[in-house]
Amino acid sequence: MSTPYLTRRSQLETYFDRTAVEAWSRLTSDAPVSKVRATVRAGRDTMRANLLGWLPADLTGLRLLDAGCGTGALAVEAARRGAMVTAIDVSPTLIGLARERLPVIDGPGSVTFQVGDMLDPWLGRFDHVVAMDSLIHYQAPDIVRALAELSLRTDGSLLFTVAPRTVLLTLMHAAGKLFPKADRAPAIVPITESGLRRRITGERALARFAVERTQRVNSGFYLSNAIELRKMASPPTESGAAR
């Protein structure tokens, strides 16, 4: 991947592994949080349920990559539906929390937590890949390149979220820059869906994937747009693409 991707990944690792550990530990638990963070928690819960709803109800025997798994809530739910989940995150501390919180999974499903890069080809092949809020800090070109690399190892669908470019999010993004640099999270990068679709269409590695559906979740200070890329049986023909 490009240097901007690697630079931002390093910033995210530092932020989630050091600066924001306590905040994310509380946000992803049942602990009391501020009203602002409560809206973020509710939004993330809604988005997680939405993404899981796009997956088959029965995941028995299917391999799923939770790319940027955080403390593992989505991975656990997928495993409860029978999936063999590889859950990876750049933050050793968040992975440590995920392992501590991992409940007993009844049935054939399982979760393996790993520290590392979600684009690592050694992770193997998957039926489905979910990247919930793990690409929102990257520029559109890096998002598409990441999707292209993931697509090479995906046989079913790629589910991911981006930060939609809205007036509200732009204002929130600008306000965030007023905080002291040491307290700031790596910036979320607002993306237009139309521009992202054009980049996806122009990426050769994604020729066999098509946008199946999208869904926006707006919950106070949480604003995110889910997109499903589904693998087609065969790549579109030039005449078909022109229609």
Side-chain angles (χ1 to χ4, degrees), residues 38-234:
T39 67
V40 175
R41 177 187 282 170
R44 285 176 56 80
D45 289 346
T46 300
M47 179 57 78
R48 186 185 313 112
N50 178 76
L51 294 172
L52 286 166
W54 287 357
L55 294 168
D58 184 1
L59 291 168
T60 302
L62 299 181
R63 294 199 67 210
L64 184 140
L65 175 65
D66 187 354
C69 64
T71 55
L74 188 146
V76 168
E77 289 305 311
R80 283 173 171 160
R81 286 159 54 175
M84 296 175 288
V85 183
T86 296
I88 191 165
D89 200 280
V90 294
S91 168
T93 302
L94 291 184
I95 289 296
L97 283 171
R99 287 171 175 158
E100 289 176 9
R101 296 177 181 180
L102 180 63
V104 174
I105 305 294
D106 295 323
S110 64
V111 182
T112 301
F113 288 111
Q114 296 187 35
V115 177
D117 189 337
M118 62 185 173
L119 303 184
D120 188 342
W122 292 104
L123 293 172
R125 297 196 65 82
F126 297 92
D127 297 286
H128 302 282
V129 173
V130 182
M132 176 178 155
D133 295 348
S134 52
L135 295 174
I136 60 175
H137 301 283
Y138 296 95
Q139 298 287 341
D142 282 330
I143 291 175
V144 174
R145 280 192 286 269
L147 293 172
E149 292 204 24
L150 290 168
S151 74
L152 299 176
R153 302 181 277 117
T154 304
D155 297 320
S157 65
L158 281 165
L159 313 182
F160 65 100
T161 62
V162 296
R165 184 176 294 171
T166 66
V167 173
L168 175 61
L169 190 59
T170 299
L171 290 173
M172 290 167 61
H173 182 261
K177 293 182 178 180
L178 299 177
F179 290 103
K181 188 172 183 180
D183 297 333
R184 253 188 257 159
I188 290 172
V189 181
I191 301 292
T192 64
E193 185 177 321
S194 59
L196 187 63
R197 281 175 177 259
R198 284 194 297 271
R199 288 183 179 276
I200 289 172
T201 301
E203 173 56 58
R204 293 184 62 183
L206 293 171
R208 291 188 62 179
F209 285 80
V211 175
E212 183 76 8
R213 50 191 160 181
T214 67
Q215 179 66 50
R216 183 173 295 185
V217 172
N218 188 349
S219 172
F221 278 74
Y222 181 87
L223 182 59
S224 191
N225 194 49
I227 300 174
E228 176 183 12
L229 288 180
R230 182 164 291 277
K231 194 170 188 177
M232 298 176 287
S234 58

